[in-house]
Amino acid sequence: MSQTQPINPFAEMQAGRPTGPLVQGYEVIIGFETHTQLTTQSKIFSRASTAFGAEPNTQASAVDFALPGALPVMNKGAVQRAIEFGLAVNAHIAEHSVFARKNYFYPDLPKGYQISQFEIPVVQGGSVEFFLDGEKRAVRLVRAHLEEDAGKSLHEDFIGMSGIDLNRAGTPLLEIVTEPDMRSSAEAVAYAKELHKIVTWIGICDGNMQEGSFRCDANVSVRKPGEPLGTRREIKNLNSFKFMQQAIDFEVRWQIEQIEDGHTIQQATVLFDPDTGETRSMRTKEDAADYRYFPDPDLPPLVIGRDWVEKTRAEMSELPRVMAARFVADYGLPEYDAGQLTQSKATAAYFEAVAAASKQAKLASNWVMGELSRRLNSEEKPIEASTVSAIQLAALIGRISDGTISNNAARQVFDALWTGESQDVDAIIEAKGLKQMSDTGELEKIIDDVLAANAKNVEEVRAGNAKAMNALVGQAMKATKGKANPAQVNELLKKKLG
Ligand code: ADP
Ligand code: MG
């Protein structure tokens, strides 16, 4: 007698996922929906401009105002960008996808429906890979679909009225939806950062989170390990990585508290308030059925020939994860370094220029990720605005590796380059007297003096006390005003002490 197993649609998903860190005995489940604004000059179904910040309603055409009889015409550039995204995440590009009407009422949506894709999206499947605490993770994508943005309601409190601005109406969006694969707020932020990196790298989105070009909705639920998925609440429009983490952490604590108090979670859409650090319910969640989706009769199915996909594939530049793998293979860098250096195209290009000119890849990586990043961060500058050029940094690295200067002295040289004191590494070393003592004769004399003046330490070293050795090295470095190479001092001391 055979027994029918109950069908669990999430069985496959649950099987492969690691259990995340438990919070008060609960497992956290997160899925993301991200709206990326595409970088086309004009809107998805009209020729109006997409530029940000214009006077209200100056960038809306008859289509965006929903004037009767105005028909949408697909913008090829938006489709091109969707194809590029699909290729970047190893997804399937549908040969045939369909635009649908998502019906709802809101003042900033004069048509009464949003044109989106429902049953057959243009990008299907794929995954986003990244490192979390040194461990490789992959978040699977369900889909990415093309849709139009809505307008904006502007609430003018001081006159007690609201206005509608349709400049944003019809702006092309690619909505990227994940499986509920993330298991902590840290993993969610790491995913969002990686996705942000991919879309800006391939240039389909400018990534400006303040202006709303990259908006994340986080679906969050909790469950006891092994239980079926819990009811989720969706935190809308997270527009900074910091808020993302705070909002999810708050939401998780709130849900656990509710459950522990004997309440059940209601599916809802919530907003995060950065001032209070709390999420609060905006509305109970609609189901897809409420939107009465149906294929838009104004738009034919979107047909993408294989030749278009293959041409796009051939023309795309090296992707960040491919480049990172190359950095590991060609330069022998650790995977962590390679990931950091491929945060942006500009960073990667800068690193490669330093590595090529200095022939010291690891040192180049250390300096780009270390001193240079620190300086750029503290002055909130992008690497393109670095006052130290790749060639100068390579020259500096050359002087470290040939033993001319110590690491400490190198930081002083970097400082002088950064502030523009001088453009020339050797001139700075000369002017500041930073050269390490390379004359062994001179150094030996100094060391002899140190040994003579520190008889007690010498005794202790001979008796096997390592600390006393350090004290001697310190004395010698002091006597040379820090200009000796500590390794060389150590070596000479050992030789002299037998
Ligand atoms: P809708 O389109 O109605 O928002 P979907 O089923 O497409 O619903 O899911 C939207 C997002 O919510 C997806 O990213 C999905 O991974 C995520 N999600 C679904 N169920 C859960 C759950 N129980 N907990 C957390 N996230 C979930
Ligand atoms: Mg949703």
Side-chain angles (χ1 to χ4, degrees):
M1 210 172 81
S2 75
Q3 207 182 327
T4 315
Q5 291 292 319
I7 294 166
N8 176 357
F10 294 105
E12 188 233 351
M13 176 215 96
Q14 287 166 321
R17 300 308 301 172
T19 303
L22 298 187
V23 182
Q24 294 166 247
Y26 287 84
E27 191 182 15
V28 177
I29 312 281
I30 304 165
F32 260 56
E33 293 163 284
T34 304
H35 290 90
T36 56
Q37 184 175 316
L38 300 177
T39 49
T40 55
Q41 304 272 305
S42 58
K43 295 188 177 174
I44 186 166
F45 301 120
S46 88
R47 290 200 186 174
S49 164
T50 53
F52 181 83
E55 280 291 298
N57 298 312
T58 55
Q59 291 181 169
S61 71
V63 171
D64 310 314
F65 282 120
L67 299 186
L71 289 172
V73 177
M74 183 74 225
N75 179 339
K76 194 175 175 190
V79 181
Q80 174 68 39
R81 285 162 179 76
I83 296 173
E84 288 167 12
F85 177 75
L87 291 173
V89 295
N90 277 324
H92 172 65
I93 316 288
E95 260 178 278
H96 179 281
S97 63
V98 175
F99 285 99
R101 291 186 178 181
K102 180 180 182 179
N103 298 281
Y104 68 93
F105 170 79
Y106 207 73
D108 64 21
L109 187 75
K111 290 198 302 299
Y113 60 86
Q114 177 195 24
I115 305 176
S116 182
Q117 295 191 306
F118 184 53
E119 277 166 350
I120 312 177
V122 58
V123 175
Q124 303 173 3
S127 68
V128 171
E129 290 169 14
F130 53 90
F131 279 90
L132 180 67
D133 300 331
E135 212 181 286
K136 197 160 201 168
R137 294 295 174 95
V139 168
R140 291 164 306 155
L141 301 181
V142 179
R143 58 192 277 156
H145 61 258
L146 284 164
E147 63 182 26
E148 58 177 349
D149 208 345
K152 259 185 199 162
S153 301
L154 303 173
H155 304 293
E156 306 286 5
D157 287 339
F158 60 97
I159 49 168
M161 282 201 237
S162 291
I164 302 295
D165 176 11
L166 292 174
N167 283 352
R168 202 181 64 182
T171 298
L173 301 177
L174 187 69
E175 180 176 342
I176 301 157
V177 184
T178 76
E179 297 280 1
D181 276 357
M182 289 158 276
R183 293 292 176 271
S184 66
S185 58
E187 186 176 8
V189 170
Y191 160 78
K193 284 187 172 166
E194 186 65 26
L195 184 67
H196 186 268
K197 174 163 111 181
I198 292 170
V199 297
T200 51
W201 184 285
I202 63 178
I204 65 163
C205 174
D206 69 17
N208 189 326
M209 295 176 81
Q210 274 98 53
E211 290 179 5
S213 302
F214 186 90
R215 318 192 283 265
C216 293
D217 302 342
N219 293 270
V220 180
S221 67
V222 299
R223 68 171 173 194
K224 284 271 162 71
E227 282 183 358
L229 288 176
T231 303
R232 72 192 144 110
R233 302 211 312 162
E234 178 175 358
I235 315 169
K236 280 296 226 195
N237 284 339
L238 294 164
N239 65 354
S240 95
F241 296 121
K242 194 175 121 208
F243 293 161
M244 200 174 282
Q245 177 121 26
Q246 288 176 356
I248 295 170
D249 286 341
F250 177 85
E251 181 62 26
V252 166
R253 283 197 304 272
W254 184 88
Q255 289 188 16
I256 292 172
E257 201 178 287
Q258 292 294 307
I259 295 169
E260 291 288 308
D261 285 351
H263 304 298
T264 50
I265 304 294
Q266 301 296 316
Q267 189 165 317
T269 301
V270 306
L271 280 181
F272 175 68
D273 181 348
D275 293 331
T276 60
E278 299 183 355
T279 54
R280 75 192 139 72
S281 183
M282 199 163 88
R283 54 173 191 253
T284 55
K285 166 93 185 146
E286 301 83 358
D287 278 320
D290 299 330
Y291 291 117
R292 295 284 177 257
Y293 281 98
F294 66 89
D296 192 324
D298 288 343
L299 286 158
L302 176 60
V303 177
I304 300 173
R306 289 304 92 178
D307 47 340
W308 188 0
V309 175
E310 288 319 313
K311 183 166 183 289
T312 303
R313 196 196 303 277
E315 285 168 2
M316 274 174 79
S317 62
E318 193 179 27
L319 292 166
R321 68 186 140 81
V322 177
M323 189 181 274
R326 178 167 63 79
F327 283 8
V328 172
D330 290 5
Y331 298 115
L333 291 180
E335 276 188 327
Y336 176 80
D337 289 40
Q340 291 292 309
L341 294 169
T342 50
Q343 282 308 313
S344 75
K345 266 190 182 154
T347 305
Y350 188 102
F351 159 75
E352 287 213 275
V354 180
S358 68
K359 307 267 184 297
Q360 300 280 338
K362 183 56 182 152
L363 270 180
S365 167
N366 291 350
W367 276 82
V368 171
M369 283 163 43
E371 202 63 24
L372 179 66
S373 292
R374 250 195 305 285
R375 280 310 192 108
L376 293 168
N377 286 342
S378 78
E379 296 187 16
E380 294 185 7
K381 276 187 179 162
I383 198 161
E384 292 92 324
S386 170
T387 46
V388 178
S389 73
I391 296 301
Q392 288 171 330
L393 184 53
L396 176 59
I397 286 170
R399 289 295 171 251
I400 302 168
S401 61
D402 72 8
T404 307
I405 52 173
S406 67
N407 257 314
N408 226 338
R411 271 194 286 277
Q412 295 179 52
V413 177
F414 184 88
D415 227 66
L417 290 170
W418 183 269
T419 55
E421 217 175 290
S422 165
Q423 308 290 321
D424 188 77
V425 167
D426 288 334
I428 297 168
I429 295 172
E430 199 57 51
K432 293 191 182 288
L434 294 172
K435 234 184 208 140
Q436 292 195 113
M437 202 169 277
S438 53
D439 179 344
T440 330
E442 193 184 345
L443 187 55
E444 278 197 57
K445 201 183 150 294
I446 290 173
I447 286 178
D448 287 339
D449 291 348
V450 167
L451 291 177
N454 294 278
K456 194 162 163 280
N457 279 329
V458 171
E459 279 309 301
E460 286 174 11
V461 171
R462 292 219 162 96
N465 181 345
K467 269 194 191 141
M469 184 66 169
N470 290 341
L472 288 176
V473 174
Q475 287 295 329
M477 290 303 292
K478 198 170 150 199
T480 63
K481 298 197 180 69
K483 284 185 202 164
N485 179 335
Q488 199 183 3
V489 169
N490 224 311
E491 210 168 284
L492 279 173
L493 275 169
K494 274 192 188 139
K495 202 176 88 190
K496 287 188 184 289
L497 294 171

